[in-house]
Amino acid sequence: MTDPVSVKNYFIEPNADLKAADLSDADLSGLDLTEANLTGAWLFNSDLTDATLTSAILREAILTDAVLKNASLRKADLRDAELNYADLSEADLSEADLTNAGLTNADLRDADLRDADLSKANLTNADLKGADLRDADLTDANLSNVDSNNDGSRVYSISGTLEVDQELSLNIDTKDPEGYNSNYIPTYQ
């Protein structure tokens, strides 16, 4: 077990109780916050690169402009969290609960979102290039202007409900699953 690290007069360690803590602009890169309670914490513009937040509680946390590149957020509770403009590229968000999370303009390139709950999340203008969304729940998520160009090597399932007069567009990559055969013709059922 590692010794706690003091950041802005808070002790950072696994299982830490950091409810409503103000850690804005803090350097938390590489730190272990496994199962920490960060409910309502302010992490605006903080650096959490390579941090471990596995099973952490971040409900209603403010992570706007935070850098979480390559962070482990596996099974994290991020319900109602604000992650607008956050850098979550290459982050592990598998099995995370992002219900009703704000992810406007978030960078989710190459993020692992397998089995994540993104229901009712706002992903407007988010960058999902290369993100793994297998078995993710996107029910009622706002996917307006999402950038999701991919190499055709992943399978996505998108479901949701549209209001009257809303437009839905879906781009289908016609490459084969390995991305090699440009003559592949998809079949629909």
Side-chain angles (χ1 to χ4, degrees), residues 137-143 157-163 166 168:
D137 183 354
L138 292 159
T139 304
D140 296 324
N142 184 344
L143 300 169
S157 174
I158 298 175
S159 64
T161 305
L162 291 176
E163 299 293 327
Q166 278 187 316
L168 173 68

Side-chain angles (χ1 to χ4, degrees), residues 136-155:
D137 183 354
L138 292 159
T139 304
D140 296 324
N142 184 344
L143 300 169
S144 300
N145 299 315
V146 167
D147 190 353
S148 62
N149 295 338
N150 64 65
D151 62 6
S153 64
R154 295 190 172 111
V155 176

Side-chain angles (χ1 to χ4, degrees), residues 86-108:
D87 181 353
L88 291 150
S89 57
E90 301 176 21
D92 181 357
L93 289 151
S94 58
E95 299 180 71
D97 189 348
L98 291 140
T99 302
N100 206 41
L103 290 154
T104 300
N105 293 297
D107 182 352
L108 290 154

Side-chain angles (χ1 to χ4, degrees), residues 2-117:
T2 59
D3 291 329
V5 175
S6 179
V7 176
K8 295 180 83 170
N9 295 319
Y10 294 102
F11 288 109
I12 309 300
E13 62 184 334
N15 299 304
D17 185 358
L18 298 164
K19 287 183 280 208
D22 184 358
L23 293 164
S24 297
D25 300 304
D27 182 359
L28 304 169
S29 57
L31 296 182
D32 187 355
L33 287 155
T34 301
E35 296 182 357
N37 188 344
L38 290 143
T39 301
W42 284 79
L43 293 150
F44 177 83
N45 201 41
S46 292
D47 185 356
L48 291 135
T49 303
D50 296 316
T52 303
L53 293 140
T54 304
S55 298
I57 302 168
L58 292 138
R59 265 182 299 212
E60 300 177 355
I62 306 300
L63 292 131
T64 301
D65 286 316
V67 179
L68 294 122
K69 185 177 175 96
N70 202 44
S72 176
L73 292 143
R74 181 175 164 79
K75 295 185 178 182
D77 182 352
L78 290 149
R79 288 177 286 171
D80 299 301
E82 290 298 327
L83 293 142
N84 301 313
Y85 296 93
D87 181 353
L88 291 150
S89 57
E90 301 176 21
D92 181 357
L93 289 151
S94 58
E95 299 180 71
D97 189 348
L98 291 140
T99 302
N100 206 41
L103 290 154
T104 300
N105 293 297
D107 182 352
L108 290 154
R109 286 175 297 154
D110 299 312
D112 184 350
L113 290 155
R114 287 176 295 159
D115 295 303
D117 188 347

